[in-house]
Amino acid sequence: MPRRRTTPRVGAVATRSRLVTRRDIELFTEISGDRNPLHYDVARATASRFGGIVVQGGVTTAVLNAVVAEDLPGPGSVFLQLDVRFLAPVRPGDVITGTVEVTAVREDKPITTVAVRVTRDDGVTAVSGTAVCYTEDLS
């Protein structure tokens, strides 16, 4: 039986974690064409202000797509707007956790505003921001 959309409540929180690997960099490069040396060239990346290889921002924020689409608001949900700041690098070998917290729910439309965050396993916040999500009724 199809899942019926349930309206999320303000304050609801969902998280997902994943290990970031060099393969993620390769796959994202295949999709995007992003061949920035900061993602591949150890010597150049080490000499940069980042001090080593960093994964693409799209890899880092992808965990938020999974939380929104699978958990909160859930299936049928897509971003209408995503506004984030990249605060710290994520490197291959980091475990990142995407967190979504509902901050507002429209009563007239299936639109939810959420605070979003990606943290590394050392507790550092790598990404912080807000998003507006639309949820299609899949029933």
Side-chain angles (χ1 to χ4, degrees):
M1 174 172 247
R3 289 168 40 164
R4 191 132 186 88
R5 179 185 183 274
T6 58
T7 302
R9 69 185 190 336
V10 171
V13 176
T15 64
R16 280 189 177 237
S17 297
R18 68 180 305 275
L19 171 66
V20 179
T21 67
R22 286 191 177 273
R23 180 72 178 132
D24 293 320
I25 293 172
E26 294 165 4
L27 291 170
F28 192 80
T29 296
E30 287 179 32
I31 293 167
S32 68
D34 179 354
R35 289 178 175 74
N36 185 327
L38 293 174
H39 309 311
Y40 287 98
D41 186 324
V42 174
R44 290 174 80 182
T46 300
S48 77
R49 70 182 295 255
F50 300 107
I53 295 290
V54 295
V55 302
Q56 296 99 328
V59 172
T60 301
T61 58
V63 69
L64 297 171
N65 294 68
V67 178
V68 164
E70 299 294 329
D71 304 310
L72 186 67
S77 297
V78 295
F79 288 125
L80 294 179
Q81 179 178 336
L82 180 62
D83 181 22
V84 296
R85 292 187 62 209
F86 291 87
L87 304 171
V90 170
R91 303 179 192 295
D94 286 344
V95 174
I96 58 172
T97 299
T99 302
V100 171
E101 180 177 358
V102 176
T103 59
V105 178
R106 291 210 22 196
E107 298 299 324
D108 62 328
K109 294 182 179 181
I111 294 177
T112 306
T113 302
V114 296
V116 298
R117 185 175 65 252
V118 178
T119 54
R120 300 185 318 213
D121 50 344
D122 63 359
V124 170
T125 298
V127 174
S128 181
T130 60
V132 177
C133 306
Y134 171 81
T135 303
E136 181 71 24
D137 185 350
L138 299 177
S139 59

